[in-house]
Amino acid sequence: MDKHFYITTPIYYVNDVPHIGHAYTTIACDVLSRYKRERGYKVFFLTGTDEHGQKVEKAAQANGETPLELADRVVKRFQSLWDKLDIDHTDFIRTTQERHKKAVEEIFRRIETKGDIYLGEYVDWYCTPCETFWTETQLLDGNCPDCGRKTDKLKEESYFFRMSKYQDALLRHIEENPEFIQPRSRRNEILSFIKEGLRDLSISRTTFNWGIPVPGNDKHVIYVWFDALTNYISALGFPDDPDGNFKDFWPCTAHVIGKDILRFHTVYWPTFLLAAGLPLPEKVFAHGWWTVEGQKMSKSLRNVVEPNMLVDKYGVDAIRYFLMREVPFGLDGDFSHSALVHRINSDLANDLGNLVSRSTAMLNKYFAGVLPESGPVDEIDQTLSQKFADTIPVVDKQMDDLAFNKALQSIWELVSAANKYIDDTAPWALAKDDTQKERLGTVMYNLLEAVRLIALFTTPFMPTTGQNIISILGGDPDAIRDDALFEWGGLQAGTKIDKALPLFPRIEAD
Ligand code: MSP
């Protein structure tokens, strides 16, 4: 049976332009998708944009355009950034698309038919910037407990979802599925929130228009989070499922999100699904937030890190590598130019870059660039290939845990092992002795085979670099989607391998 893997990013609001935080989640999902494809999975990787709601309506008004005009304009910025960051998503969902609207209406109707949606009256405090409702007791000095800004008191006719009815089922699900909320430290936060008691949730608004009308009562538009969360199934083709994607890919393997939107994904979304009689996602993983040079990123501080600029300056692979390597996924991290330059110089230029250039240069010098046969293997060769074999299941597990920084550490242990193999076997000494020609051939074969496997492991993180190396080794960069390719011995003797140009020039600190 085919192995399926479905991963999603949050859908991004179009009232803001993309920044490093958005790029972070999207790159992480791309890395994992690419890795899973290499390991033989059928992957569906979804990203998109969240285009309805009062925030977008207001931002459009302020710009003198319609909400859809604003959305069309900002969506292009997201899409061009994803191209620039080498994001290989399967689909891009926009909540203004007809296919999405159909799915939202259907899930609303299913829950309503079940008797879990009713019309009532709603008094609450609403934080517009966060699109979040708070009860009076949750407010801090009358302000939003998340962002500290002022909230508005609202009283209006509203449809309610009987979320309270699903409190016990949800608690049981979280308790029985320790993998459901990750990292584990975030589970307790959600468990205690649920144990405080779930209220019914207001899921419609009459105070603005920019949204999907409630089926059968178009005075109301559907609450933006009810609308937005449904993207994860509308993109698969729910409810009609014309391509069978819903059948093949739901439930989702992982929703990857930032820690600020965990509650929506682990309380609201699963209760909607329970009520609609649909299976719950396998896991929700909340990553941390980036600060910039020690400060919170904000428009007013003018320190928002613009990913396009970073890519122009340092190159896409260096940025992808840095974001995945620098901070354990799940913890907060700080972005600084000096840390980035340090990583590029030490890990990329020094460790990886030198390995590739030394290996290919020696092959050209000693064998005119034609890969020799591997002769009888010594213990030192055996140790090297064993280390690679042992690392595969380790990296598999680290990737399943979304422990990207650990996976890169494991991969860099391979880079060090290969560099050390050069020092220990000293090919330059073997080259001086004609009787050692066969031994030199074996060493060069093993060394370039190590480089090939390192390229396979690094491709999901740094697609251009990885594919570059594979092309230099005479392999087909598009053909790297087969488990067997991770087995030692994939390189063919006789292959012509050119000398590699430097992959990552060193950067002098400003
Ligand atoms: N539209 C909602 C999500 C709906 S999903 C059904 C939304 N959009 S957002 O554009 O405001 O945020 C998207 C993601 O960006 C969130 O996961 C958030 O955590 C992330 N980040 C925003 N700023 C960030 C940092 N400074 N650092 C890391 N991630 C950050 O929420």
Side-chain angles (χ1 to χ4, degrees):
M1 222 200 37
D2 285 331
K3 301 179 284 185
H4 288 93
F5 184 83
Y6 177 30
I7 188 163
T8 66
T9 73
I11 47 173
Y12 303 108
Y13 285 131
V14 289
N15 56 319
D16 199 1
V17 294
H19 58 61
I20 198 76
H22 306 130
Y24 184 48
T25 325
T26 311
I27 289 171
C29 291
D30 186 60
V31 167
L32 195 47
S33 303
R34 286 174 181 269
Y35 187 74
K36 287 291 173 183
R37 284 191 211 114
E38 272 192 4
R39 306 294 288 136
Y41 283 74
K42 283 212 162 134
V43 172
F44 199 105
F45 165 22
L46 179 67
T47 188
T49 41
D50 191 353
E51 305 187 5
H52 289 132
Q54 198 167 16
K55 268 204 291 192
V56 176
E57 195 179 75
K58 281 191 175 159
Q61 259 162 19
N63 277 330
E65 56 191 342
T66 66
L68 193 58
E69 280 164 355
L70 176 134
D72 285 343
R73 195 163 49 73
V74 179
V75 160
K76 289 202 192 91
R77 307 249 330 230
F78 277 99
Q79 288 172 331
S80 76
L81 179 63
W82 301 154
D83 283 348
K84 192 157 180 165
L85 288 173
D86 265 337
I87 303 299
D88 190 8
H89 49 279
T90 317
D91 200 349
F92 189 102
I93 183 94
R94 299 182 54 180
T95 55
T96 47
Q97 288 166 338
E98 205 45 43
R99 58 175 177 158
H100 176 71
K101 191 174 163 215
K102 246 168 73 179
V104 173
E105 287 167 353
E106 175 64 18
I107 189 165
F108 191 101
R109 266 195 228 101
R110 282 194 193 183
I111 301 175
E112 191 176 34
T113 308
K114 200 159 172 201
D116 288 339
I117 287 178
Y118 62 91
L119 194 60
E121 192 180 66
Y122 163 86
V123 184
D124 224 337
W125 278 261
Y126 188 62
C127 175
T128 305
C130 299
E131 307 257 26
T132 307
F133 299 94
W134 304 103
T135 57
E136 181 143 17
T137 52
Q138 287 173 317
L139 298 182
L140 285 180
D141 302 325
N143 294 324
C144 170
D146 269 0
C147 73
R149 280 174 281 205
K150 136 176 177 320
T151 52
D152 298 315
K153 184 174 182 178
L154 295 178
K155 191 173 189 177
E156 55 176 294
E157 183 186 270
S158 172
Y159 284 92
F160 284 84
F161 165 58
R162 276 186 221 286
M163 194 157 74
S164 56
K165 179 174 157 191
Y166 293 95
Q167 173 168 337
D168 293 342
L170 179 62
L171 268 180
R172 214 175 316 121
H173 184 83
I174 296 173
E175 269 153 9
E176 284 168 5
N177 295 277
E179 306 282 295
F180 180 59
I181 301 176
Q182 293 201 38
R184 293 288 270 271
S185 55
R186 299 243 166 244
R187 257 181 101 218
N188 292 335
E189 177 188 319
I190 294 297
L191 282 171
S192 49
F193 173 78
I194 301 169
K195 284 176 185 160
E196 274 171 34
L198 292 186
R199 299 185 304 150
D200 287 354
L201 183 71
S202 160
I203 52 161
S204 79
R205 295 287 166 271
T206 53
T207 45
F208 63 92
N209 295 319
W210 183 235
I212 300 173
V214 165
N217 185 354
D218 57 15
K219 230 171 67 194
H220 291 251
V221 295
I222 294 176
Y223 171 44
V224 67
W225 274 99
F226 188 97
D227 169 343
L229 288 160
T230 305
N231 90 86
Y232 299 131
I233 57 175
S234 60
L236 293 180
F238 174 85
D240 304 335
D241 203 17
D243 305 316
N245 285 331
F246 185 71
K247 178 176 90 20
D248 286 347
F249 290 101
W250 192 259
C252 162
T253 322
H255 292 313
V256 182
I257 57 167
K259 62 181 183 177
D260 55 316
I261 55 175
L262 186 62
R263 192 182 297 165
F264 299 105
H265 284 80
T266 54
V267 180
Y268 293 12
W269 179 227
T271 53
F272 298 160
L273 289 167
L274 285 170
L278 296 170
L280 306 194
E282 281 167 31
K283 78 174 148 212
V284 178
F285 194 108
H287 64 66
W289 270 47
W290 286 91
T291 51
V292 177
E293 313 278 350
Q295 279 184 313
K296 196 175 166 181
M297 218 175 9
S298 88
K299 277 188 203 158
S300 51
L301 288 174
R302 295 168 173 274
N303 67 345
V304 175
V305 178
E306 214 286 291
N308 286 290
M309 223 179 61
L310 282 182
V311 171
D312 292 340
K313 185 156 177 195
Y314 299 105
V316 54
D317 281 356
I319 301 303
R320 290 174 60 115
Y321 176 80
F322 175 77
L323 292 176
M324 295 297 102
R325 175 64 184 82
E326 190 67 4
V327 176
F329 207 59
L331 299 185
D332 292 339
D334 186 51
F335 183 91
S336 83
H337 286 270
S338 61
L340 173 59
V341 168
H342 178 74
R343 284 276 171 215
I344 293 175
N345 286 342
S346 97
D347 301 7
L348 301 182
N350 233 16
D351 301 346
L352 179 64
N354 276 344
L355 171 66
V356 176
S357 57
R358 284 162 94 193
S359 319
T360 56
M362 286 191 291
L363 183 72
N364 276 271
K365 187 159 170 200
Y366 305 140
F367 291 94
V370 179
L371 190 69
E373 299 273 353
S374 170
V377 289
D378 281 359
E379 199 186 327
I380 190 170
D381 313 325
Q382 183 61 38
T383 308
L384 182 72
S385 59
Q386 191 58 46
K387 178 150 180 78
F388 276 72
D390 293 345
T391 300
I392 296 170
V394 173
V395 175
D396 274 346
K397 168 85 172 72
Q398 289 165 332
M399 294 298 272
D400 280 337
D401 293 343
L402 287 85
F404 301 108
N405 71 319
K406 285 193 190 153
L408 282 170
Q409 279 169 28
S410 306
I411 297 165
W412 253 249
E413 280 175 26
L414 299 178
V415 175
S416 301
N419 274 321
K420 183 161 184 301
Y421 180 81
I422 299 180
D423 298 341
D424 292 347
T425 53
W428 47 89
L430 297 173
K432 287 192 188 128
D433 179 349
D434 274 349
T435 66
Q436 296 290 337
K437 191 82 183 170
E438 189 189 50
R439 178 66 197 141
L440 179 62
T442 304
V443 166
M444 291 316 300
Y445 181 90
N446 282 310
L447 182 57
L448 284 137
E449 181 60 9
V451 171
R452 181 185 74 88
L453 282 157
I454 288 167
L456 279 185
F457 275 118
T458 47
T459 298
F461 295 90
M462 300 189 285
T464 311
T465 305
Q467 291 173 7
N468 244 337
I469 302 173
I470 289 167
S471 301
I472 293 168
L473 299 182
D476 176 358
D478 291 326
I480 50 169
R481 294 194 178 170
D482 181 351
D483 278 4
L485 284 168
F486 278 82
E487 272 165 32
W488 192 265
L491 277 179
Q492 296 281 332
T495 304
K496 176 80 178 73
I497 296 174
D498 289 333
K499 230 163 108 171
L501 298 170
L503 297 174
F504 294 95
R506 282 185 69 84
I507 298 176
E508 298 312 325
D510 283 343

